[in-house]
Amino acid sequence: MSFDKAKIEQAVRMILEAVGEDPDREGLRGTPDRVARMYEEIFAGLHKDPSAELSAIFNELHEEVVLVKDIPFYSMCEHHLVPFFGKAHVAYLPSNGRVTGLSKLARLVEAVARKPQLQERITSTIADVLFEKVEALGVIVMVEAEHMCMSMRGVNKPGSRTITTAVRGIYAENKDARQETMALMCQSSLSN
């Protein structure tokens, strides 16, 4: 199924009317078009295979942890269609010298997040794709986010953060390896 900009514009216009607004007033005239263009951007992951983001695999004799911390992401809660946003920390233990580009990890996070989502699914999908595509010995993904469905509506608790984790391979089996890498994830940045 492809992106239907006209249908989104029509739906946004109907929503504005349903809440008692005039979609033809000056400030709202372009809103249906703007929302449709925004949705095309923030839901761009719907039509992507996230594993394609890990196309660059290199042979490098490195078999210690690779960790990229604080990868910012934005997504939309599939239950309320409001944003949630935060940071992902992605670590893997290479096997047989198979590594991927560091920017590819950030692209993977973005490809998975850019669709109506759940934080738990983002975390698991990133871990599964990285573990399988790079053939890593182990993967740990930690995602921390603030959900607008909790902050601006419902319980109204701004600043609340949700943390989810996923562990694969050796990290699921070896408590010491898991704790060491998670400690690195939770450690403050050097610039702080």
Side-chain angles (χ1 to χ4, degrees):
M1 183 178 214
S2 64
F3 188 81
D4 190 338
K5 187 174 180 285
K7 199 170 192 176
I8 292 174
E9 288 180 31
Q10 180 185 16
V12 171
R13 185 173 177 81
M14 289 173 66
I15 289 169
L16 290 170
E17 290 170 349
V19 299
E21 261 294 359
D22 175 9
D24 293 317
R25 78 171 168 82
E26 183 180 357
L28 292 176
R29 268 188 229 128
T31 297
D33 173 65
R34 285 189 293 272
V35 171
R37 286 185 285 121
M38 176 190 69
Y39 276 9
E40 186 171 26
E41 180 180 339
I42 64 176
F43 294 145
L46 277 168
H47 308 290
K48 284 187 176 179
D49 172 7
S51 68
E53 300 300 336
L54 299 178
S55 59
I57 304 290
F58 307 101
N59 289 311
E60 183 62 40
L61 214 47
H62 181 82
E63 296 190 355
E64 300 295 327
V65 69
V66 176
L67 167 63
V68 179
K69 290 175 46 169
D70 299 328
I71 302 168
F73 77 92
Y74 300 87
S75 193
M76 291 288 267
C77 165
E78 68 181 36
H79 296 148
H80 302 97
L81 287 183
V82 293
F84 65 99
F85 59 92
K87 296 176 182 178
H89 315 292
V90 180
Y92 71 100
L93 195 56
S95 173
N96 299 317
R98 289 176 53 87
V99 298
T100 189
L102 300 176
S103 68
K104 302 302 183 190
L105 299 177
R107 291 180 192 277
L108 172 61
V109 169
E110 184 166 311
V112 172
R114 294 225 171 215
K115 60 180 82 175
Q117 269 291 17
L118 296 175
Q119 181 174 333
E120 297 88 340
R121 188 181 308 125
I122 288 173
T123 310
S124 294
T125 302
I126 293 167
D128 291 340
V129 169
L130 181 58
F131 186 64
E132 292 168 17
K133 186 77 175 189
V134 180
E135 299 173 9
L137 289 174
V139 169
I140 299 180
V141 177
M142 179 186 290
V143 174
E144 49 186 304
E146 181 172 351
H147 293 251
M148 292 294 98
C149 56
M150 278 186 60
S151 297
M152 65 183 280
R153 59 153 302 278
V155 297
N156 290 297
K157 299 298 179 207
S160 300
R161 291 183 318 145
T162 300
I163 296 175
T164 52
T165 61
V167 296
R168 303 292 183 265
I170 195 169
Y171 289 125
E173 302 156 10
N174 185 318
K175 180 181 173 184
D176 292 336
R178 181 172 61 248
Q179 286 180 331
E180 180 183 354
T181 301
M182 287 191 133
L184 289 171
M185 287 180 168
C186 296
Q187 191 174 40
S188 295
S189 298
L190 295 174
S191 60
N192 287 345

